[in-house]
């Protein structure tokens, strides 16, 4: 078999036998595949991500690193960036976000963000007290 001749697979498909090299040892011209190996700037799987839910904490409120306890109608946001997850709260419709004490931890797989957010909401949202 000569280099570059297709090898016919069991499915009848032809694949090149050169494995990306030409007879003189130089690399073949790569195929143009738009976007191959790229992640969009819109926060792909490994990029920053977040989930947000409005909550009402129970008696005692939510302890934050920056301002201590916050109470009342809050918005909870669980963020994933750079291999870490952090839970933050803000007074509903306010501008400032506060880190919930003890919630900045390593998260090996960003796919776990939904589960972490669900647990945070389940623990902190206590509208009935």
């Amino acid at each position: 078999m000569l280099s570059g001749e297709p090898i016919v697979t069991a499915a009848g498909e032809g694949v090149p036998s050169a494995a990306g090299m030409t007879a003189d040892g130089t690399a073949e011209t790569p195929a143009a595949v738009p976007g191959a190996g790229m992640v969009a700037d819109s926060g792909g799987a490994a990029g920053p991500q977040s989930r947000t839910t409005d909550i009402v904490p129970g008696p005692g409120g939510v302890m934050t690193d920056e301002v201590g306890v916050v109470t009342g109608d809050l918005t909870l946001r669980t963020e994933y960036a750079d291999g870490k997850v952090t839970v933050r709260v803000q007074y509903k419709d306010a501008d400032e976000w506060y880190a919930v004490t003890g919630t900045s931890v390593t998260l090996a797989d960003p796919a776990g963000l939904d589960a972490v957010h669900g647990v945070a909401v389940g623990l902190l949202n206590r509208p009935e007290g």
Side-chain angles (χ1 to χ4, degrees):
M1 175 175 301
L2 297 175
S3 177
E5 287 183 17
I7 299 172
V8 178
T9 65
E13 300 169 346
V15 294
S17 63
M21 300 299 288
T22 61
D24 65 2
T26 59
E28 290 181 344
T29 305
V33 179
M38 302 300 290
V39 176
D41 290 339
S42 62
Q49 301 175 47
S50 67
R51 305 292 183 268
T52 305
T53 302
D54 290 335
I55 65 167
V56 177
V62 176
M63 178 61 79
T64 68
D65 293 343
E66 296 85 359
V67 295
V69 175
V70 293
T71 61
D73 293 338
L74 304 174
T75 301
L76 181 135
R77 181 172 71 195
T78 307
E79 305 169 339
Y80 174 84
D82 301 324
K84 294 193 88 149
V85 66
T86 302
V87 179
R88 299 183 190 279
V89 292
Q90 72 175 171
Y91 290 104
K92 191 166 164 83
D93 300 322
D95 293 329
E96 300 84 16
W97 287 94
Y98 308 112
V100 176
T101 300
T103 64
S104 184
V105 296
T106 300
L107 181 64
D109 185 353
L113 181 62
D114 288 332
V116 172
H117 182 71
V119 168
V121 170
L123 290 171
L124 298 175
N125 188 33
R126 298 282 180 226
E128 304 298 322

